[in-house]
């Protein structure tokens, strides 16, 4: 069975995120180890982490998925900017190593005119150096929509980075359903065909997490605008097939949909769990309508 969760705010600490996760019926979650736009991290609270660790064990959570700030550009060709990114990543990973079981998800970055090959080489160089410090938290490269000079829009591009890293055992991939569709992979019509492609190019054994988002835009639009499940171009039948897919079991599935409140995620998680248990789209929707309004 997949694990389900969404992005939670770290502003009240680690244990508070665990409690929020329980409130929405989640058994994984994502968070920014620091402000998504960068900025300083608060000092580490060991007791808070201990309490979260106990909660995760008691409730049989799956792996958590931390998200690196969006502004990190591992593909940059500017040595000073690259040094800052490396330093920040090391600080993030040092912190994440205190958590029991967490991935560090990061956008590969944008090559801003250097070309895909040079961009991939820069990304691999950054990851290589960061990993040489001996952190144990695995790194996930996210599939991207291919907006502008963004890397990671094609599976071949992610594989180029992995290949330059000698297929390091600590580096995997996170599949974002909105991003892959926007990048031109028609998951809504042919999920298994796209998974076959990912398997041939990268290897499904490298797929360690999924971002579950509907898309505001049609396949191949290169836009990256997330939508609530069922309100976008992917549709509920797609999300039903996603959570039922035998090749995607045991993975953390993280919602990054534009809900304004936790209750919205609670409903989406309940719906995904109903799909997993075989409910049709109509049955899952009816079940949600029976639930008391929050
Ligand atoms: Fe992301
Ligand atoms: Fe994502
Ligand atoms: Zn996105």
């Amino acid at each position: 069975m997949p694990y389900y969760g969404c992005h939670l705010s770290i502003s009240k600490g680690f244990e508070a995120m665990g409690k929020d996760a329980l409130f929405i019926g989640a058994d994984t979650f994502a968070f920014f180890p620091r402000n998504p736009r960068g900025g300083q991290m608060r000092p580490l609270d060991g007791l808070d982490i201990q309490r979260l660790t106990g909660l995760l064990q008691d409730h049989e959570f799956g792996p958590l998925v931390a998200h690196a700030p969006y502004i990190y550009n591992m593909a940059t060709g500017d040595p000073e900017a690259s040094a800052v990114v490396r330093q920040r990543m090391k600080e993030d990973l040092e912190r994440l190593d205190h958590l029991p079981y967490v991935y560090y998800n990061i956008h590969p970055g944008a090559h801003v005119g250097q070309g895909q090959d040079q961009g991939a080489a820069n990304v691999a160089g950054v990851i290589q150096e960061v990993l040489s410090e001996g952190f144990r938290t695995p790194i996930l490269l996210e599939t991207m929509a291919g907006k502008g000079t963004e890397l990671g829009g094609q599976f071949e591009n992610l594989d180029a980075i992995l290949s330059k890293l000698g297929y390091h055992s600590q580096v995997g991939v996170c599949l974002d359903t909105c991003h892959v569709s926007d990048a031109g992979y028609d998951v809504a019509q042919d999920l298994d065909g796209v998974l076959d492609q990912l398997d041939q190019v990268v290897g499904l054994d490298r797929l360690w997490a999924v971002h579950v988002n509907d898309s505001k835009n049609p396949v191949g639009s290169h836009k990256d605008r997330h939508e609530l499940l069922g309100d976008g171009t992917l549709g509920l039948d797609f999300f039903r097939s996603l959570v039922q897919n035998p090749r995607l079991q045991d993975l953390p599935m993280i919602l990054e949909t534009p809900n304004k409140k936790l209750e919205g995620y609670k409903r989406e998680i309940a719906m995904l769990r109903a799909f997993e248990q075989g409910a049709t789209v109509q049955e899952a929707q009816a079940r949600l309508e029976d639930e008391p309004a929050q």
Side-chain angles (χ1 to χ4, degrees), residues 6 27 33 38 60 72 74 80 88 142 144 149 193 251:
C6 65
D27 50 9
E60 297 181 340
Y72 293 5
M74 294 192 289
E80 273 173 48
R88 295 273 164 87
E142 183 167 348
M144 302 306 294
T149 67
L251 298 180

Side-chain angles (χ1 to χ4, degrees), residues 89-140:
M89 286 176 70
K90 288 175 191 174
E91 290 166 13
D92 291 344
L93 286 163
E94 197 283 320
R95 170 136 319 182
L96 295 176
D97 270 3
H98 292 274
L99 291 172
Y101 192 2
V102 61
Y103 292 117
Y104 184 57
N105 178 85
I106 188 162
H107 297 176
H111 68 71
V112 287
Q114 309 165 88
Q116 297 251 337
D117 285 348
Q118 186 56 45
N122 293 349
V123 173
V126 168
I127 295 179
Q128 190 98 59
E129 186 197 311
V130 167
L131 285 176
S132 73
E133 302 269 326
F135 300 112
R136 66 179 174 84
T137 296
I139 296 174
L140 296 179

Side-chain angles (χ1 to χ4, degrees), residues 266-267 287-294:
K266 187 176 181 182
R267 287 175 69 84
R287 222 180 281 181
L288 283 181
E289 261 137 47
D290 288 346
E291 273 190 23
Q294 296 283 336

Side-chain angles (χ1 to χ4, degrees), residues 27-31 52 56 61-66 99 101-104 252:
D27 50 9
T28 179
F29 59 87
F31 62 97
L52 173 68
L56 300 178
F61 272 56
L64 309 182
V65 188
L99 291 172
Y101 192 2
V102 61
Y103 292 117
Y104 184 57

Side-chain angles (χ1 to χ4, degrees), residues 9-243:
S9 164
I10 198 171
S11 63
K12 295 200 193 79
F14 285 100
E15 189 194 17
M17 286 194 288
K19 288 182 172 167
D20 281 346
L22 291 178
F23 168 70
I24 58 173
D27 50 9
T28 179
F29 59 87
F31 62 97
F32 290 105
R34 67 171 97 204
N35 185 295
R37 310 231 160 266
Q40 294 304 308
M41 284 190 288
R42 58 167 71 192
L44 195 68
D45 179 346
L47 189 60
D48 185 31
I49 290 195
Q50 237 175 51
R51 289 192 178 122
L52 173 68
T53 303
L55 181 151
L56 300 178
Q57 280 163 356
D58 289 350
H59 296 276
E60 297 181 340
F61 272 56
L64 309 182
V65 188
H67 200 304
Y70 300 130
I71 54 156
Y72 293 5
N73 184 8
M74 294 192 289
T76 182
D78 178 80
E80 273 173 48
S82 181
V84 172
V85 169
R86 290 162 203 237
Q87 180 56 32
R88 295 273 164 87
M89 286 176 70
K90 288 175 191 174
E91 290 166 13
D92 291 344
L93 286 163
E94 197 283 320
R95 170 136 319 182
L96 295 176
D97 270 3
H98 292 274
L99 291 172
Y101 192 2
V102 61
Y103 292 117
Y104 184 57
N105 178 85
I106 188 162
H107 297 176
H111 68 71
V112 287
Q114 309 165 88
Q116 297 251 337
D117 285 348
Q118 186 56 45
N122 293 349
V123 173
V126 168
I127 295 179
Q128 190 98 59
E129 186 197 311
V130 167
L131 285 176
S132 73
E133 302 269 326
F135 300 112
R136 66 179 174 84
T137 296
I139 296 174
L140 296 179
L141 296 170
E142 183 167 348
T143 60
M144 302 306 294
K147 208 168 49 173
T149 67
E150 196 172 66
L151 299 172
Q154 299 297 315
F155 298 154
E156 284 78 5
N157 187 235
L158 292 176
D159 186 63
I161 299 168
L162 291 166
S163 152
K164 290 184 203 315
L165 288 165
Y167 298 97
H168 195 291
S169 61
Q170 243 175 294
V171 187
V173 166
C174 172
L175 183 91
D176 185 310
T177 57
C178 165
H179 296 178
V180 278
S181 174
D182 285 14
Y185 294 99
D186 200 350
V187 280
Q189 294 307 314
D190 186 15
L191 173 61
D192 270 304
V194 174
L195 290 179
D196 286 344
Q197 273 179 278
L198 182 61
D199 193 31
Q200 280 151 23
V201 178
V202 171
L204 277 180
D205 56 338
R206 293 266 159 194
L207 178 61
W208 298 342
V210 180
H211 284 170
V212 183
N213 304 308
D214 213 328
S215 173
K216 285 191 195 293
N217 293 288
V219 64
S221 61
H222 303 292
K223 285 277 209 289
D224 190 2
R225 301 275 316 279
H226 301 190
E227 183 52 284
L228 300 172
L229 302 192
D231 286 356
T233 56
L234 299 185
L236 291 180
D237 285 310
F238 164 70
F239 293 104
R240 183 173 187 268
S241 70
L242 183 82
V243 299

